[in-house]
Amino acid sequence: MGVDIYAAAELPFAFSYIVGLFKGDAPPQMSDILLQACIIFGVFTFLTKTMSFLQDLLFYPVVNVCIRELHFRTNFHMHGLSIEEYEKLSIPEVLSFIKRIGLSARFFLNTMLVTFVPTIIKFVVAFTILMNIGVFREGLVIGAIGLVVLYVLAMRFYMRARRKSWLITDRVTLAIGESIRNTRLVRFYESFERLRIRNLVNEEARAWFRSTMQMDGMQILIGVVIAAIMGSVIFYGAYGVFEKTLALSTLVLVHGQLSALLVPLKSSLREVRQVFEATIDIEKILDLYALPQESRKSGKGILIPVEGAPALDIKGIDFSYQDDVVFNKFSMCIERGDRALIFGESGVGKSTLLSLATGLLKPQNGEVTIFGHRLCDLSLEEVGQFLHYIPQDVPLFKASFYENLVYGCGEVSREEVEAVIDVACLRGLLETMPEGMNSDIGEMGSKLSGGERQRLALARAMLMKPKLLIFDETTNALDEETERLVLDHVLSSIETVIFISHRPMHKERVSKVVKLDRMLVSVFEEHASF
């Protein structure tokens, strides 16, 4: 006997003959239909269980791959933003939802693959069977459409409420993070800080309670509608059985399939709520991805300095932050072998000039060249072949001393590492560390003093051996003797050096001075005196 795939559609009518089978007066062909339908539904049940097993087997690898790619993409997308776009972001807030995104993605995929999609399949199967029964057809269609409309309205309402709640949660997360980072200050104003955090946390709790209660109200409304549909069918079905216009077996079948249709729909509302809650974090990541990345040139491999070209040549650049003009037709030239000092009052544009000189910012007009190559033609990685700069806040990672020392340096020998440790006066520090160079230096080098962080950055610079090194207030935490020793080694091993400071310094070491004032005038002096 061949299995007819359409036999499933006849299953409701087969049940009408179950009683007749026991009486022995059912048409013989109905037993075949019943058998075929049982085979089909048996196979369907087997496939459902098999799919559930495969979902459990494959779910976590799939989720972990997705989360890994999200983390990779988010990290490198942030690196690809222009400095202007980057500085508009609240980094603690970005880190907050990056940490949440793993949980959100895991829950989103789990709900969609393991619970919600199978529920939809059951819904479709039950609805198809009910349509084939042929009774209550118009009422079921109208009720299903009404439920879907109510369902969509409930989800839209819920999303609005949840977004407002998450905005407050982000504020609380940011406030708690800032409070912990500012512990030194908070200790003096502890009662004020406790009140501030308590008010924020209470506001968050009230917001989540309001949104949850509102959504629970929507669930109750949907439950009432579902109960009304079920009650109406039972009432009119019972009336039809009483009037002998409807078989009792058909009513039992309708009730069973209606339960299979509506109960999963109601329970799936809870799953969908959690899915939409997870999508709020995913939306934040997508908003981040929507920020335009900076257009960059592709790498050209190893670059060679142009013979006779200056180390850094800035020609007639214009730069402004919206209406705030910082440079207007500004020019500056640093020759190879120069030891140059750029100084000026705080806020005059020294850090902006540094960002323009290193390619982190692009001028609106004019041109910047480094060793004869135009910065606009180079990727930042190529610029790094020539130039290294040490900012005021030394870039360090929560890793070992050694990992921080050799970061970005490529292949280095043990002898080179030992040499720069000595010239940077770091030997005494390593002797106090429990694991020497393998000791963890804390987040952003928090276990080191300001001077130790600066000496570590200088040692890294000497390992890199750049053709141009730029200091941005990078020795202000060193004592005079240590500063003299370290700078002597730096100047003897690196061809061209630029100091940036808000005060005149190192006068015995520099050959050129660039003075910035609020009139945006550069003054060059050879072997300048102060």
Side-chain angles (χ1 to χ4, degrees), residues 396-404 437-445:
L396 298 174
F397 303 93
K398 181 172 173 51
S400 69
F401 179 95
Y402 179 80
E403 289 173 305
N404 277 277
M437 282 194 285
N438 293 323
S439 300
D440 185 269
I441 63 172
E443 186 176 357
M444 298 296 291

Side-chain angles (χ1 to χ4, degrees), residues 396 401-402 404-406 416-433 436-437 441 448-463 478 482 485-486 489:
L396 298 174
F401 179 95
Y402 179 80
N404 277 277
L405 176 62
V406 301
E416 290 176 304
V417 170
E418 295 291 342
V420 297
I421 286 174
D422 288 330
V423 300
C425 303
L426 290 167
R427 184 66 63 187
L429 169 65
L430 288 175
E431 291 175 354
T432 64
M433 289 184 167
M437 282 194 285
I441 63 172
L448 305 180
S449 68
E452 290 165 348
R453 289 196 292 269
Q454 289 182 344
R455 278 182 279 153
L456 176 54
L458 289 166
R460 180 197 290 163
M462 284 185 279
L463 271 181
L478 301 180
T482 302
L485 290 172
V486 172
H489 286 294

Side-chain angles (χ1 to χ4, degrees), residues 20-32:
L21 285 173
F22 285 105
K23 293 181 178 179
D25 56 354
Q29 65 269 23
M30 296 313 302
S31 61
D32 293 338

Side-chain angles (χ1 to χ4, degrees), residues 127-158:
F127 190 78
T128 302
I129 292 175
L130 284 169
M131 288 298 99
N132 277 283
I133 293 176
V135 294
F136 307 111
R137 182 174 294 173
E138 293 79 6
L140 286 171
V141 170
I142 295 173
I145 293 174
L147 273 178
V148 170
V149 171
L150 187 59
Y151 208 88
V152 172
L153 292 176
M155 289 302 102
R156 292 185 62 184
F157 175 82
Y158 178 69

